[in-house]
């Protein structure tokens, strides 16, 4: 069995993956409380920011262009790009601040508000459109998105593990099937099934 087939079988479809990512980020948002310790706030913010960056990049590189090919002139699709840019500005501001600084919580809450609106538009307009217009391609798109996720997450694996441990119990992480944890689980399963235990991630990254 070659890797593209394996990835297609193990990956969620493109729209299922996007919904899963949204749920994971929302669940992490909800862990942020005003009275949390500075360390916990920082871990939550780091995890949310990285997950959003990877998610937005995958959408911009793979999902949005595929949708644009079959549905040009969608206002919701076109405004997604500037909304991602605004999200990246807020992420950059948060990374420049300490959790104890005035404005940290307000900036994070602004990010959460913006992302919630953006996610609502995607889930009520873009994803249903993709499921109508790209029905036969969602599986292949999902596999491409998973491969790209592995590439983008790989340099951050240490940070992801540390923030995951600080922000959620392992059982919750596994049940959530989240954006980054899910990629690790898929890579491990791929490694077992293809009997190349030493470097499954690299083979998936290359798409060999
Ligand atoms: Fe988006
Ligand atoms: Fe999204």
């Amino acid at each position: 069995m070659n890797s593209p087939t394996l990835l297609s079988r193990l990956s969620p479809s493109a729209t299922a993956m996007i919904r899963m990512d949204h749920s994971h980020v929302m669940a992490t948002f909800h862990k942020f409380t005003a009275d949390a310790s500075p360390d916990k706030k920082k871990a939550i913010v780091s995890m949310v920011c990285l997950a959003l960056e990877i998610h937005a990049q995958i959408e911009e590189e793979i999902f949005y262009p595929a949708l644009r090919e079959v549905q040009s002139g969608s206002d919701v699709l076109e405004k997604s790009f500037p909304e991602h840019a605004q999200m990246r500005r807020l992420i950059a501001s948060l990374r420049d601040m300490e959790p104890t600084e005035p404005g940290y919580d307000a900036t994070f809450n602004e990010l959460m508000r913006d992302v919630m609106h953006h996610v609502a538009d995607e889930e009520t307009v873009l994803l249903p459109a993709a499921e109508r217009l790209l029905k036969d391609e969602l599986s292949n798109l999902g596999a491409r998105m998973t491969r790209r996720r592995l590439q983008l997450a790989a340099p951050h694996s240490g940070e992801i593990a540390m923030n995951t441990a600080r922000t959620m119990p392992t059982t919750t992480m596994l049940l959530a099937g989240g954006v980054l944890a899910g990629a690790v689980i898929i890579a491990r399963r791929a490694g077992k099934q293809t009997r190349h235990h030493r470097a499954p991630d690299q083979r998936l990254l290359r798409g060999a």
Side-chain angles (χ1 to χ4, degrees), residues 63-74 77 126 129-135 137 141:
F63 181 70
Y64 292 167
L67 191 53
R68 199 186 249 157
E69 271 189 28
V70 292
Q71 191 187 46
S72 59
S74 158
L77 178 56
L126 300 188
E131 283 159 355
R132 277 196 320 273
L133 303 168
L134 291 168
K135 201 174 173 197
E137 294 172 52
L141 285 171

Side-chain angles (χ1 to χ4, degrees), residues 18-19 21-22 55-56 59 64 84 118-119 122 127:
I18 288 173
R19 286 195 181 90
D21 280 0
H22 292 168
H55 178 81
E59 285 183 339
Y64 292 167
H84 282 186
H118 179 78
V119 160
E122 287 188 345
L127 301 189

Side-chain angles (χ1 to χ4, degrees), residues 36-190:
S37 70
D39 275 357
K40 183 165 183 185
K41 284 184 180 179
K42 200 165 191 167
I44 290 168
V45 168
S46 299
M47 179 170 257
V48 162
C49 291
L50 182 58
L52 286 174
E53 283 177 323
I54 291 175
H55 178 81
Q57 192 168 343
I58 291 170
E59 285 183 339
E60 288 175 11
E61 289 181 3
I62 300 169
F63 181 70
Y64 292 167
L67 191 53
R68 199 186 249 157
E69 271 189 28
V70 292
Q71 191 187 46
S72 59
S74 158
D75 291 346
V76 173
L77 178 56
E78 295 312 319
K79 80 181 175 67
S80 289
F81 291 91
E83 286 178 357
H84 282 186
Q86 167 64 6
M87 182 190 82
R88 290 186 177 103
R89 281 191 285 276
L90 290 172
I91 288 172
S93 298
L94 282 165
R95 286 191 175 134
D96 268 355
M97 298 167 85
E98 288 300 322
T100 48
E101 278 182 52
Y104 189 83
D105 289 16
T107 306
F108 186 70
N109 287 331
E110 187 182 348
L111 176 67
M112 175 158 43
R113 198 165 52 241
D114 286 356
V115 168
M116 281 176 166
H117 285 144
H118 179 78
V119 160
D121 280 345
E122 287 188 345
E123 296 206 6
T124 58
V125 179
L126 300 188
L127 301 189
E131 283 159 355
R132 277 196 320 273
L133 303 168
L134 291 168
K135 201 174 173 197
D136 297 332
E137 294 172 52
L138 293 178
S139 172
N140 283 338
L141 285 171
R144 284 176 58 201
M145 289 161 71
T146 294
R147 185 175 304 119
R148 187 65 178 129
R149 174 195 305 293
L150 289 168
Q151 289 174 333
L152 294 170
H156 303 282
S157 55
E159 179 190 338
I160 291 164
M162 191 187 300
N163 288 329
T164 301
R166 281 182 183 160
T167 55
M168 64 172 75
T170 307
T171 45
T172 308
M173 179 188 79
L174 291 172
L175 287 172
V179 45
L180 303 169
V184 173
I185 290 165
I186 284 171
R188 282 186 187 152
R189 288 175 61 191

Side-chain angles (χ1 to χ4, degrees), residues 18-39:
I18 288 173
R19 286 195 181 90
M20 220 158 56
D21 280 0
H22 292 168
S23 300
H24 179 250
V25 166
M26 288 301 157
T28 313
F29 270 142
H30 294 147
K31 291 176 187 302
F32 191 97
T33 56
D35 60 354
S37 70
D39 275 357

